[in-house]
Amino acid sequence: MKYVSTRGLAPIASFEDVLLTGLAPDGGLYVPAAWPTLSAAQIKAMRGRPYANVAADLMTRFAGDAFTKARLHEIAEDVYRHFDHPDVAPLRQVGEEDWILELFHGPTLAFKDFAMQLLGRFFDDVLARRDERLTIIAATSGDTGAAAIDALKSCEHVDIVVLHPEGRVTDVQRRMMTTINAPNVLNIAVDGAFDDCQAIVKQLFADRSFVEDVKLGGVNSINWARLAAQTVYYFTAVASLTGNDKAINFVVPTGNFGDVFAGYVAKQMGLNVGRLVVATNTNDILHRAMTTGDYAPAGVSPTVSPSMDIQVASNFERLLFDVMGRDANALREKMEAFNNDGEMQLSADNRTRISADFASYATTEEATINEIRNHHRTTSELIDPHTAVARAAAQKLRAKGELVGKTVTLSTAHSAKFPEAVKRATGVAPTLPAAHAELFNKTEHMIHASNDVTAIKHAITSRAGRSG
Ligand SMILES: *Cc1c(COP(=O)(O)O)cnc(C)c1O
């Protein structure tokens, strides 16, 4: 399997390269040179197979010769064994033609565990082979940091540094990061907002000598290996509901366009996917782009679904590459113009092609809270605010006749990760699963830093090598 950059000026890369690099050197994103495809019979045969088995099978198609088939099976079994539901990604029926796909049974209770846990093992294998050590850095608004720390805390060849905006993540989110006591983990609480953390990470990557010194790497959602791992639950859902005979729609709580793009990839691979609904909160750049053609960032406003509070959706470039007929030169011009002007216009043709696969809806804060309340009233189940954004979108689009037939809504986080919003909506405080019962009794480990790249550099270098 070969990977090409969406901007066309980077060398062709292997799975191992794209795993370790993230962004392509020409500023583009890596995508497979051609989509791997499966026959309807192969997909049907996934029905009833364990999740780990399907995951290893699909990853084989993306990973080329980076790992043996046997090793991928070993890794996948080892990783998904630790999820606290036997189905790993169980479906729960909530209406005649409606299901919720529960993606919060991993170690940090959000869907990011699905990919991150595999990535941790992939890193360790590849780095051991190369006799190298990497410092992974991530800025987090909550979920990515916890997922990355849990996935990498036992890695022998990786140090992990996570920047979170002090006081702007929930207590549960912070404690899931800071109560892990491992020599290769460094939590930094930054006196600033999530955007400041992200800006610091960008500045660190721009300093080539710093990157070389600490061997800096990233795991943000543009990493191709994460998207590849996220195709798996689309396959297991369709295989179990229709055996690929009939199309299934998916409604996806969307921020950086990673998770929903994985659904698009699954469709290109032969999966019978109907409509993919991009469900956003009030930070709705994607919904505006799809309905008006204006891809124009507005300031980020904080919501009860903070993991989707974004300015621009990085992975959207991967979709544009496809809808522009994989014309890397045309896409590069478009992205360069976007960088200069701060906004871009999608052509009528691009929009037509996008709407062949996608629909979109932006849910207000009020509707999100109402949906948590309604869902609890009608099913006695608690859903988290991200899931509620998507459930509200599904019902609105169904009522408008824009969503027809069997539909799966992705539930991306456990309600107990966002207790304030859930309690406000329902009057019920969600309880953490047993594995996290001691979360509030454990000691926290973190350092505090000002919103200043030099201070953060110092904090990282003074720790580097501590565990190596
Ligand atoms: C990260 C995240 C999202 C958004 O996923 P993208 O891949 O960035 O679109 C949605 N819900 C939760 C709970 C998340 O952590």
Side-chain angles (χ1 to χ4, degrees):
M1 172 67 56
K2 295 281 173 232
Y3 290 85
V4 296
S5 164
T6 50
R7 302 204 190 171
L9 297 180
I12 303 260
S14 67
F15 183 78
E16 205 171 302
D17 299 330
V18 303
L19 172 72
L20 296 176
T21 49
L23 202 68
D26 62 358
L29 305 180
Y30 281 115
V31 287
W35 300 117
T37 54
L38 286 83
S39 69
Q42 283 172 317
I43 296 171
K44 195 168 213 156
M46 290 174 174
R47 204 173 201 169
R49 275 162 58 193
Y51 187 91
N53 184 286
V54 176
D57 180 355
L58 290 169
M59 291 311 291
T60 308
R61 296 160 200 273
F62 290 112
D65 49 12
F67 306 95
T68 64
K69 237 181 193 172
R71 182 62 185 145
L72 283 174
H73 278 272
E74 206 170 78
I75 290 175
E77 268 155 39
D78 204 30
V79 156
Y80 295 116
R81 192 159 52 82
H82 295 290
F83 282 51
D84 75 359
H85 194 288
D87 292 346
V88 181
L91 282 161
R92 175 163 64 87
Q93 190 157 13
V94 292
E96 200 184 328
E97 295 198 294
D98 278 290
W99 285 262
I100 280 182
L101 181 62
E102 295 184 352
L103 301 177
F104 51 75
H105 293 282
T108 71
L109 311 181
F111 85 93
K112 292 189 171 76
D113 287 327
F114 278 83
M116 211 68 92
Q117 291 283 319
L118 279 185
L119 240 63
R121 305 303 174 94
F122 289 172
F123 276 139
D124 239 13
D125 267 31
V126 168
L127 293 168
R129 214 183 288 159
R130 296 184 174 194
D131 194 23
E132 282 174 16
R133 195 169 179 84
L134 210 58
T135 301
I136 295 289
I137 186 148
T140 187
S141 59
D143 294 330
T144 305
I149 288 174
D150 192 274
L152 301 172
K153 66 178 195 249
S154 315
C155 288
E156 285 177 29
H157 300 267
V158 180
D159 291 299
I160 165 81
V161 179
V162 173
L163 311 184
H164 76 262
E166 177 142 34
R168 301 191 198 207
V169 299
T170 69
D171 289 347
V172 174
Q173 286 180 315
R174 189 191 67 252
R175 283 184 161 270
M176 277 192 178
M177 300 190 274
T178 58
T179 57
I180 291 190
N181 188 13
N184 66 335
V185 174
L186 176 61
N187 277 291
I188 306 181
V190 177
D191 184 11
F194 170 63
D195 282 335
D196 297 320
C197 297
Q198 212 164 21
I200 289 170
V201 169
K202 278 202 182 136
Q203 288 174 59
L204 293 177
F205 273 107
D207 180 344
R208 294 317 296 176
S209 72
F210 182 76
V211 169
E212 288 301 315
D213 282 353
V214 304
K215 297 263 179 273
L216 205 63
V219 286
N220 63 17
S221 74
I222 54 148
N223 190 302
W224 172 259
R226 281 182 62 181
L227 297 189
Q230 287 167 15
T231 62
V232 179
Y233 39 75
Y234 288 93
F235 277 89
T236 57
V238 173
S240 102
L241 289 176
T242 74
N244 215 39
D245 288 344
K246 286 218 180 86
I248 298 287
N249 306 306
F250 286 92
V251 185
V252 187
T254 296
N256 238 330
F257 202 72
D259 209 8
V260 74
F261 187 73
Y264 170 84
V265 173
K267 189 169 183 177
Q268 307 314 305
M269 293 167 74
L271 191 68
N272 202 344
V273 173
R275 203 147 287 279
L276 289 158
V277 176
V278 174
T280 73
N281 61 26
T282 52
N283 296 295
D284 61 351
I285 179 169
L286 286 167
H287 175 60
R288 283 183 284 119
M290 287 180 181
T291 47
T292 69
D294 291 330
Y295 189 82
V300 175
S301 50
T303 70
V304 290
S305 49
S307 301
M308 313 197 298
D309 292 347
I310 53 110
Q311 280 260 31
V312 295
S314 322
N315 281 301
F316 194 53
E317 178 168 343
R318 286 187 159 114
L319 178 65
L320 285 180
F321 181 60
D322 256 28
V323 299
M324 291 169 73
R326 297 203 149 208
D327 180 344
N329 292 326
L331 180 74
R332 189 173 65 248
E333 275 171 24
K334 200 154 184 82
M335 294 312 297
E336 279 167 4
F338 172 68
N339 284 344
N340 291 332
D341 306 343
E343 58 180 53
M344 65 180 159
Q345 192 69 36
L346 306 182
S347 72
D349 177 59
N350 291 168
R351 275 169 64 200
T352 307
R353 289 195 190 201
I354 290 172
S355 59
D357 293 312
F358 293 90
S360 67
Y361 189 81
T363 302
T364 64
E365 287 289 275
E366 196 191 349
T368 304
I369 294 292
N370 285 341
E371 177 53 27
I372 298 175
R373 183 179 307 124
N374 285 340
H375 192 83
H376 183 243
R377 272 198 198 133
T378 51
T379 69
S380 313
E381 299 279 345
L382 297 174
I383 52 174
D384 98 289
H386 304 78
T387 307
V389 161
R391 278 292 295 156
Q395 288 164 78
K396 271 284 181 330
L397 292 179
R398 215 186 254 296
K400 288 204 284 178
E402 290 173 32
L403 195 63
V404 179
K406 291 187 172 162
T407 298
V408 170
T409 299
L410 271 53
S411 180
T412 47
H414 192 287
S415 58
K417 261 191 134 164
F418 303 93
E420 292 85 0
V422 173
K423 176 135 195 244
R424 177 146 62 91
T426 62
V428 180
T431 45
L432 282 163
H436 297 279
E438 292 302 309
L439 194 65
F440 282 84
N441 298 327
K442 290 182 183 166
T443 311
E444 294 193 70
H445 305 270
M446 69 180 137
I447 61 169
H448 302 266
S450 54
N451 177 11
D452 167 48
V453 70
T454 316
I456 301 224
K457 259 184 204 167
H458 182 73
I460 296 172
T461 41
S462 58
R463 282 273 301 223
R466 204 187 116 167
S467 56

